[in-house]
């Protein structure tokens, strides 16, 4: 059970207003699974936090909010400044003194004021203003007082972390602390009984403030963040990591990894538990946002296109990336654009078997040239240049020797003794291939998101690639539900039916490139709960069939409604009802209908493009063709219909005799689907109808 419902990370800034246009070194806030929010100054950021916390308190939502600045100072500092040991006393002390407006703040003067309380010069330094400030040196080396250690204990462990005393200069965090703590202090007072501060207080209220330091997982951030602005990517990745840690029940362990003696100084979340933290960063990228399938309120029968648009918007990749040898890339989805390592062909070569020589202009005549000894063959180049006026034998794929720009086809030549006669006409450059005429080194040859086929693998190899970054294979669990089901080979009584959907859907998902496992479960809530939980732990997406409606034995939808998330999509589609889209422990479930034809159509139409995006690929649109119909049909308005169809010898689409969605034999009879529009129409033989070949669904 996770400790928090929502995880929000804040990249703070000690600087002044950064303007309307989102930019770096401003304040960025991101909730896990949401888009980063840009806030140009601290006043707006405090407002945002205030509103967000207020909403959470009203809704009983538990928030974990991380801030990327130190919550405290080396031990002893607080007591010298405030007279109290409690580090939160310093928060209040700073809150009282800090004057902060979007265009200016008093952090340097406060630093100087505090310095007066310590012997010598320091510990604060780094006056970033033009005017000199008494007691606040510009350089760290100008300090004389050594009353305070340079770093908190946690900063000695967090390699590369800046000391809290430095108030300006690249990377300095001191200004963030002085401007941040007063804001946290105010929020803490405002929501007094709701906020606890880690690690100073027990986290026994609904809102927790924790200290974070994105550099702890900088490598993972660099790899995963795609945002053009670094700060935005940082908060996005770290919010997702903390959320994932929590969902995996590991956040408590991380929170507990604080040495007792450091509780008064503050601690960075994840230091001391780096392995767990990093594992969460790399183990598995984002899951889908919770309840991402929610339909807008008031939607009744959703037209297919609208349903597809909603589903498309809800999807995102959920798989990690890995390096894959080119030869194994077939069926994998590219996680980055691939550029040619070398040109193809790498050097000018011959397109035919023949004789090479130099030619300046089109020659219509017969030419006789002395033939040099030796030859240029593929992989065995000719070892010298060919002087103007002479020829040499060259074979297909052989590099053109220096001096050769044209090749005469062997069939157009006659060799006699050490001369060669070439029958014209022939053009300069004939039968040769230029270096890079196909692909130039550095050119993008395949783009991110492409699911590679055999030709693609050949291309990547040809242009010199050895490995490609690909998305991990999506893992799918196919679950057939129903007390009546039996597996192939089992004895089945009359009241039982063999599981057709399980094998069918599993084969389809394998064809789509996924790692597929299957399981069957009866109409039993307890067993189903266990099967869902196992699937959620072991796979990325679940396809169920059966039990998706709202009847007494429709346990898939009932269980999702009770313990997961569900949206029963009433899609205006035949065959296709009912389609239940939901999530179990963050893993999407495509609850397909039990009738095999409806299960097939919904899988092909909805699951296929959605899974493709989850696997890092494109949203897939099936390719259809307009063909004359070989049938007549009157169709009513208000739903789209798919008919099992095939192209007859006369080139017309004929349809299966029955539209019954249990008639699975019709799927094998057919070679595709005829798609009839949402609107009412009358189809007469010869009218054009849209035929989608099954090949379009990779089924
Ligand atoms: P349900 O959606 O569970 O009410 O099932 C609707 C119809 O589909 C019933 O006739 C079921 O027996 C049938 N059905 C459900 N699951 C399967 C399956 N895996 N294979 C074949 N038929 C199924
Ligand atoms: Mg059933």
């Amino acid at each position: 059970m996770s400790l928090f419902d929502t995880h929000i990370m804040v990249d703070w800034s000690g600087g002044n207003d950064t303007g309307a246009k989102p930019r770096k070194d401003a304040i960025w806030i991101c909730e896990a699974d949401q888009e980063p929010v840009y806030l140009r100054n601290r006043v707006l950021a405090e407002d945002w936090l205030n509103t967000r916390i207020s909403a959470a308190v009203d809704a009983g939502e538990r928030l974990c909010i991380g801030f990327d600045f130190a919550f405290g100072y080396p031990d002893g500092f607080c007591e010298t400044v405030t007279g109290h040991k409690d580090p939160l006393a310093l928060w209040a002390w700073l809150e009282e003194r800090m004057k902060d407006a979007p265009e200016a703040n008093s952090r340097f003067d406060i630093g100087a004021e505090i310095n007066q309380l310590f012997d010598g010069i320091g510990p604060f330094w780094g006056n970033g203003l033009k005017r000199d400030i008494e007691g606040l040196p510009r350089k760290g080396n100008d300090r004389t007082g050594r009353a305070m250690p340079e770093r908190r204990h946690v900063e000695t462990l967090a390699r590369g972390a800046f000391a809290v005393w430095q108030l300006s200069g690249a990377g300095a965090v001191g200004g963030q602390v002085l401007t941040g703590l007063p804001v946290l202090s105010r929020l803490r007072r405002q929501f007094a009984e709701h906020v606890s501060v880690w690690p100073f207080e027990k986290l026994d209220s609904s809102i927790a403030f924790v200290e974070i330091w994105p550099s702890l997982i900088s490598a993972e951030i660099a790899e995963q963040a795609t945002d053009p602005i670094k700060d935005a990517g940082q908060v996005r990745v770290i919010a997702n990591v903390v959320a994932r840690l929590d969902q995996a029940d590991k956040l408590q362990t991380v929170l507990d990894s604080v040495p007792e003696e450091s509780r008064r100084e503050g601690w960075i979340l994840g230091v001391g538990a780096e392995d767990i933290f990093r594992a969460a960063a790399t183990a598995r990228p984002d899951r889908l946002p919770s309840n991402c399938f929610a339909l807008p309120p008031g939607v009744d029968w959703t037209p297919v296109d609208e349903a597809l648009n909603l589903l498309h918007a809800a999807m995102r990749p959920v798989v990690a990336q890995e390096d894959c040898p080119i030869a194994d890339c077939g069926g994998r989805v590219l996680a980055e654009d691939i550029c040619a390592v070398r040109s193809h062909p790498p050097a000018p070569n011959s397109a035919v078997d023949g004789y090479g020589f130099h030619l300046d202009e089109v020659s219509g005549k017969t030419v006789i040239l002395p033939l040099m000894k030796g030859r240029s063959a593929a992989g065995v180049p000719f070892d010298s240049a060919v002087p103007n006026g002479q020829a040499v034998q060259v074979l297909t794929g052989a590099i053109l020797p220096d001096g050769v720009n044209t090749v005469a086809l062997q069939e157009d030549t006659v060799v006699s003794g050490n001369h060669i006669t070439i029958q014209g006409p022939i053009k300069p450059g004939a039968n040769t291939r230029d270096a890079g005429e196909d692909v130039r080194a550095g050119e993008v040859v395949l783009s991110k998101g492409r699911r590679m086929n055999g030709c693609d693998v050949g291309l990547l190899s040809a242009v010199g690639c050895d490995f490609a970054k690909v998305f991990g294979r999506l893992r799918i669990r196919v679950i057939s539900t129903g007390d009546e089901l039996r597996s192939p080979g089992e004895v089945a009584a009359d009241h039982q039916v063999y599981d057709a959907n399980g094998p069918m859907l599993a084969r389809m998902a394998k064809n789509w490139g996924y790692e597929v496992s299957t399981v069957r479960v009866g109409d039993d809530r307890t067993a189903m709960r266990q099967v869902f939980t196992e699937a959620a732990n072991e796979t990325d997406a679940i396809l169920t069939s059966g039990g998706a409606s709202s009847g007494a034995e429709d346990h898939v939808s009932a269980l999702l409604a009770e313990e997961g998330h569900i949206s029963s999509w009433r899609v205006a589609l035949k065959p296709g009802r009912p389609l239940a889209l939901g999530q179990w422990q963050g893993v999407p479930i495509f609850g397909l209908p039990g009738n095999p034809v409806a299960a097939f159509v919904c899988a092909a139409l909805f699951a296929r493009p959605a899974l493709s995006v989850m696997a890092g690929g494109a949203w897939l649109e099936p390719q259809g063709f307009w063909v004359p119909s070989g049938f007549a049909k009157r169709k009513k308005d208000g739903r789209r219909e798919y008919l099992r169809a095939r192209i007859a010898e006369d080139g017309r689409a004929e349809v299966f005799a029955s539209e019954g969605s249990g008639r699975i034999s019709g799927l094998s009879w057919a070679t595709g689907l005829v798609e009839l529009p949402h609107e009412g129409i009358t189809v007469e033989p010869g009218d054009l109808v849209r035929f989608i070949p099954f090949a379009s669904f990779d089924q």
Side-chain angles (χ1 to χ4, degrees):
M1 167 94 167
S2 48
L3 301 176
F4 301 97
D5 303 305
T6 309
H7 307 78
I8 302 177
M9 298 298 137
V10 182
D11 184 333
W12 198 247
S13 162
N16 293 333
D17 187 280
T18 42
K21 190 165 167 251
R23 47 160 289 182
K24 71 184 179 73
D25 297 333
I27 299 170
W28 286 90
I29 304 185
C30 192
E31 292 193 20
D33 296 325
Q34 308 275 326
E35 289 304 304
V37 179
Y38 166 75
L39 293 151
R40 55 189 284 185
N41 63 52
R42 284 180 295 280
V43 175
L44 294 175
E46 186 172 343
D47 275 355
W48 191 98
L49 289 162
N50 224 310
T51 311
R52 185 65 185 83
I53 295 173
S54 205
V57 167
D58 289 346
E61 183 188 12
R62 300 163 306 162
L63 297 185
C64 172
I65 314 183
F67 297 88
D68 72 333
F69 53 80
F71 281 9
Y73 289 85
D75 201 16
F77 175 81
C78 172
E79 201 174 353
T80 306
V81 176
T82 67
H84 299 280
K85 280 200 157 71
D86 177 4
L88 293 169
L90 183 70
W91 287 28
W93 191 95
L94 288 171
E95 184 197 340
E96 257 170 48
R97 285 159 182 81
M98 173 59 67
K99 290 184 200 61
D100 197 357
E103 297 306 339
N105 64 69
S106 61
R107 68 179 192 270
F108 297 112
D109 297 298
I110 289 187
E113 184 186 339
I114 294 176
N115 277 356
Q116 308 306 328
L117 305 172
F118 290 84
D119 292 339
I121 301 174
F124 284 109
W125 65 278
N127 174 14
L129 301 180
K130 285 215 181 79
R131 67 176 161 94
D132 286 329
I133 299 177
E134 174 80 30
L136 185 69
R138 291 191 184 272
K139 296 207 181 88
N141 285 342
D142 293 342
R143 292 177 298 171
T144 58
R146 288 288 178 261
M148 280 284 110
E150 191 59 9
R151 289 167 196 283
R152 295 183 295 161
H153 180 42
V154 71
E155 280 140 6
T156 62
L157 301 176
R159 283 181 50 206
F162 275 64
V164 287
W165 309 125
Q166 185 183 343
L167 296 186
S168 69
V173 293
Q176 295 196 43
V177 185
L178 288 183
T179 55
L181 292 182
V183 173
L184 298 197
S185 179
R186 262 193 300 281
L187 291 169
R188 190 172 157 267
R189 270 193 306 107
Q190 176 127 1
F191 300 100
E193 71 272 34
H194 301 287
V195 171
S196 356
V197 179
W198 176 83
F200 307 145
E201 299 177 305
K202 253 180 103 139
L203 294 188
D204 51 6
S205 38
S206 61
I207 317 285
F209 288 172
V210 302
E211 180 185 335
I212 56 164
W213 183 55
S215 302
L216 193 62
I217 51 164
S218 51
E220 289 79 6
I221 289 173
E223 196 167 303
Q224 291 173 28
T226 49
D227 304 72
I229 295 172
K230 186 178 159 206
D231 312 44
Q234 275 187 356
V235 280
R236 182 200 293 276
V237 173
I238 200 155
N240 291 339
V241 167
V242 175
R244 232 173 285 143
L245 264 176
D246 198 1
Q247 282 151 8
D249 291 332
K250 296 202 172 122
L251 186 57
Q252 190 65 57
T253 312
V254 174
L255 289 168
D256 290 342
S257 305
V258 185
E260 223 26 65
E261 67 275 14
S262 296
R263 285 210 180 259
R264 279 208 303 264
E265 294 188 337
W267 197 258
I268 293 168
L269 188 72
V271 171
E274 285 87 349
D275 288 353
I276 307 180
F277 211 69
R278 291 218 177 88
T282 47
R284 158 176 202 141
D286 309 353
R287 288 192 163 186
L288 297 175
S290 57
N291 213 7
C292 64
F293 295 125
L295 286 174
V299 171
D300 197 13
W301 285 102
T302 315
V304 173
D305 279 338
E306 215 172 287
L308 287 171
N309 286 340
L310 288 166
L311 188 60
H312 187 176
M315 288 297 135
R316 64 168 69 158
V318 297
V319 279
Q321 303 178 3
E322 62 195 48
D323 287 316
C324 181
I326 293 303
D328 299 333
C329 277
R332 307 302 299 271
V333 178
L334 271 178
E336 61 180 10
D337 290 351
I338 302 279
C339 298
V341 176
R342 66 178 342 209
S343 293
H344 183 256
N349 67 24
S350 177
V352 298
D353 288 341
Y355 294 88
F357 55 97
H358 183 86
L359 186 65
D360 277 326
E361 53 193 49
V362 178
S363 156
K365 319 178 291 250
T366 298
V367 189
I368 300 177
L369 297 175
L371 185 60
M372 294 179 78
K373 275 211 174 71
R375 60 177 204 173
S376 183
V380 189
F382 188 58
D383 54 10
S384 60
V386 177
N388 205 349
Q390 297 192 33
V392 72
Q393 188 181 19
V394 288
L395 302 180
T396 306
I399 193 164
L400 297 184
D402 282 350
V404 171
N405 71 345
T406 305
V407 177
L409 194 65
Q410 178 151 325
E411 289 82 341
D412 296 338
T413 60
V414 178
V415 177
S416 48
N418 53 3
H419 279 77
I420 182 164
T421 308
I422 300 162
Q423 254 103 51
I426 185 162
K427 283 195 278 188
N431 300 314
T432 63
R433 305 164 177 153
D434 289 339
E437 70 171 25
D438 184 24
V439 178
R440 286 189 178 283
E443 217 176 275
V444 172
V445 282
L446 294 176
S447 302
K448 178 177 175 176
R450 181 173 179 100
R451 186 167 158 226
M452 287 174 279
N453 57 29
C455 303
D456 297 335
V457 173
L459 171 61
L460 292 187
S461 186
V463 298
C465 301
D466 54 352
F467 280 85
K469 192 153 279 301
V470 299
F471 286 106
R473 268 187 214 282
L474 197 70
R475 297 159 305 170
I476 310 278
R477 178 73 39 91
V478 172
I479 304 175
S480 301
T481 75
D483 278 343
E484 74 278 30
L485 298 183
R486 285 292 168 269
S487 294
E490 286 180 353
V491 176
D494 280 354
H495 60 280
Q496 296 172 323
V497 300
Y498 285 111
D499 174 14
N501 295 341
M504 172 179 73
L505 296 169
R507 183 63 249 170
M508 288 169 78
K510 278 182 199 155
N511 286 342
W512 297 337
Y514 309 135
E515 231 173 75
V516 185
S517 47
T518 55
V519 62
R520 210 187 74 206
V521 63
D523 290 317
D524 172 84
R525 217 55 80 83
T526 313
M528 198 174 278
R529 186 182 294 117
Q530 191 180 340
V531 161
F532 282 1
T533 300
E534 269 167 27
N537 285 334
E538 294 162 14
T539 66
D540 306 302
I542 301 170
L543 300 183
T544 65
S545 67
S549 197
S550 48
E553 291 299 326
D554 287 316
H555 299 282
V556 172
S557 39
L559 195 54
L560 286 177
E562 274 171 27
E563 297 173 35
H565 285 291
I566 187 171
S567 275
S568 291
W569 285 37
R570 307 214 294 162
V571 183
L573 167 70
K574 183 189 169 195
R577 272 176 300 155
L579 180 64
L581 296 179
Q583 281 169 296
W584 190 264
Q585 294 173 2
V587 172
I589 296 192
F590 296 82
L592 305 170
N595 276 307
V597 180
F600 168 78
V601 168
C602 286
L605 239 50
F606 294 98
R608 175 174 173 267
L611 294 175
S612 173
V613 175
M614 289 178 67
W619 176 263
L620 302 171
E621 313 260 4
Q623 194 177 28
F625 304 92
W626 291 88
V627 299
S629 114
F631 62 94
K633 182 177 163 70
R634 180 188 292 263
K635 177 196 155 296
K636 64 176 188 188
D637 184 44
R639 74 175 177 209
R640 189 181 281 184
E641 292 191 16
Y642 288 91
L643 310 177
R644 280 148 280 178
R646 66 186 184 189
I647 305 296
E649 274 184 12
D650 62 2
R652 294 169 174 234
E654 55 175 344
V655 292
F656 190 56
S658 162
E659 291 185 14
S661 77
R663 299 276 298 264
I664 192 170
S665 71
L667 286 175
S668 292
W669 174 91
T671 59
L673 298 173
V674 159
E675 180 184 84
L676 299 179
H678 188 82
E679 299 72 36
I681 53 159
T682 305
V683 179
E684 300 293 351
D687 289 353
L688 290 182
V689 289
R690 185 159 187 258
F691 176 78
I692 305 173
F694 280 155
S696 269
F697 296 119
D698 290 325
Q699 109 294 12

